[in-house]
Amino acid sequence: MTTSIEETLVLVKPDGVARNLTGEILRRIEAKGYSLVDIRLLQADRELLAKHYAEHEGKPFYEPLVEFMESGPVVAMRVAGNRVIEGFRVLAGTTDPTTAAPGTIRGDFGRDWGLRVQQNLVHGSDSVESAERELSLWFG
Ligand code: IDP
Ligand code: MG
């Protein structure tokens, strides 16, 4: 049985870029066997972030999240491979970096900084539908 090749959107968030972890994060993606298809460094504006995080509008962490994401440059990557959507989320670890498993990106490099939003280094699309929507937002 074969599965069709998927693509996902990975973002290195401003904390990851500022801490010079972009290369380490891409290294883990490539070492796992996934392929980098496209990459760009950009300063996201509020309009893009509002679309990207539309599902979280109204939640207590929404405004801090958008402010954090526009606080500095991010790296957007288009990454391909069979089951890469699920696979990258396993590489990333769970949302809360304090309890994310060691061996994951968030578990190895993240911690709680006592802020209203968790700075957890990376974003990864959570479904085929999200990946298609988010890739068109970030890569057109
Ligand atoms: P995910 O990035 O693991 O998919 P989401 O639930 O989609 O998590 O939330 C988007 C981002 O919002 C998270 O990565 C994190 O930065 C932040 N966030 C989510 N839930 C909380 C929370 O309960 N407190 C603080 N920040 C949160
Ligand atoms: Mg999410």
Side-chain angles (χ1 to χ4, degrees), residues 33-90:
Y34 299 129
S35 303
L36 181 65
V37 178
D38 203 351
I39 186 167
R40 58 189 292 231
L41 174 76
L42 73 158
Q43 175 69 54
D45 63 22
R46 189 158 272 266
E47 190 187 341
L48 171 60
L49 293 167
K51 287 179 187 158
H52 177 76
Y53 281 126
E55 66 173 311
H56 296 307
E57 207 185 330
K59 295 181 185 172
F61 60 84
Y62 174 79
E63 191 55 36
L65 175 61
V66 172
E67 278 173 24
F68 163 53
M69 291 297 292
E70 64 183 1
S71 69
V74 300
V75 171
M77 303 180 195
R78 180 189 289 271
V79 179
N82 304 93
R83 299 178 66 194
V84 68
I85 296 170
E86 179 185 10
F88 177 73
R89 286 180 65 88
V90 174

Side-chain angles (χ1 to χ4, degrees), residues 120-132:
N120 55 12
L121 300 149
V122 287
H123 165 84
S125 308
D126 64 8
S127 67
V128 172
E129 296 70 32
S130 300
E132 284 173 1

Side-chain angles (χ1 to χ4, degrees), residues 12-29 75 77 105-106 108-110 113 120-122:
V12 181
K13 294 183 177 184
D15 57 334
V17 174
R19 290 175 57 197
N20 295 320
L21 289 168
T22 303
E24 171 64 20
I25 290 163
L26 178 56
R27 190 197 64 74
R28 289 178 178 219
I29 291 168
V75 171
M77 303 180 195
I105 294 165
R106 289 164 168 175
D108 286 351
F109 303 116
W113 298 95
N120 55 12
L121 300 149
V122 287

